[in-house]
Amino acid sequence: NKHYPIVEKALLYLLNNRQLQPSLKQLAAHCHLSEYHFQRVFIQWAGVSPKQFLQCLNRDYARQC
């Protein structure tokens, strides 16, 4: 699927920048998509919004600490 590389790029960006709390606008720009299209693609693949995914990353990181 053509969206797999986009979602992979977004997930890696979130993992590496979770402490910066990137916005939807920043994520979409990083993946070269509009905010609306990026959010739809991300939810389709990840099952949650980028914000929800970031919240889970932060919660898991806090638990590890």
Side-chain angles (χ1 to χ4, degrees), residues 6 8 11-12 14 31-32 35 40-41 45-47:
I6 294 168
E8 179 184 28
L11 292 174
L12 290 173
L14 285 171
C31 294
H32 308 290
E35 293 174 47
R40 286 187 47 212
V41 167
W45 276 81

Side-chain angles (χ1 to χ4, degrees), residues 40-54:
R40 286 187 47 212
V41 167
F42 192 93
I43 290 172
Q44 180 183 5
W45 276 81
V48 295
S49 72
K51 183 175 182 173
Q52 291 170 319
F53 186 82
L54 188 57

Side-chain angles (χ1 to χ4, degrees), residues 13-55:
Y13 185 79
L14 285 171
L15 286 170
N16 293 325
N17 296 288
R18 71 174 175 269
Q19 294 163 327
L20 300 175
Q21 298 289 298
S23 66
L24 178 62
K25 184 176 184 174
Q26 291 169 314
L27 279 167
H30 180 74
C31 294
H32 308 290
L33 295 174
S34 71
E35 293 174 47
Y36 174 77
H37 187 66
F38 173 76
Q39 176 119 352
R40 286 187 47 212
V41 167
F42 192 93
I43 290 172
Q44 180 183 5
W45 276 81
V48 295
S49 72
K51 183 175 182 173
Q52 291 170 319
F53 186 82
L54 188 57
Q55 288 171 342

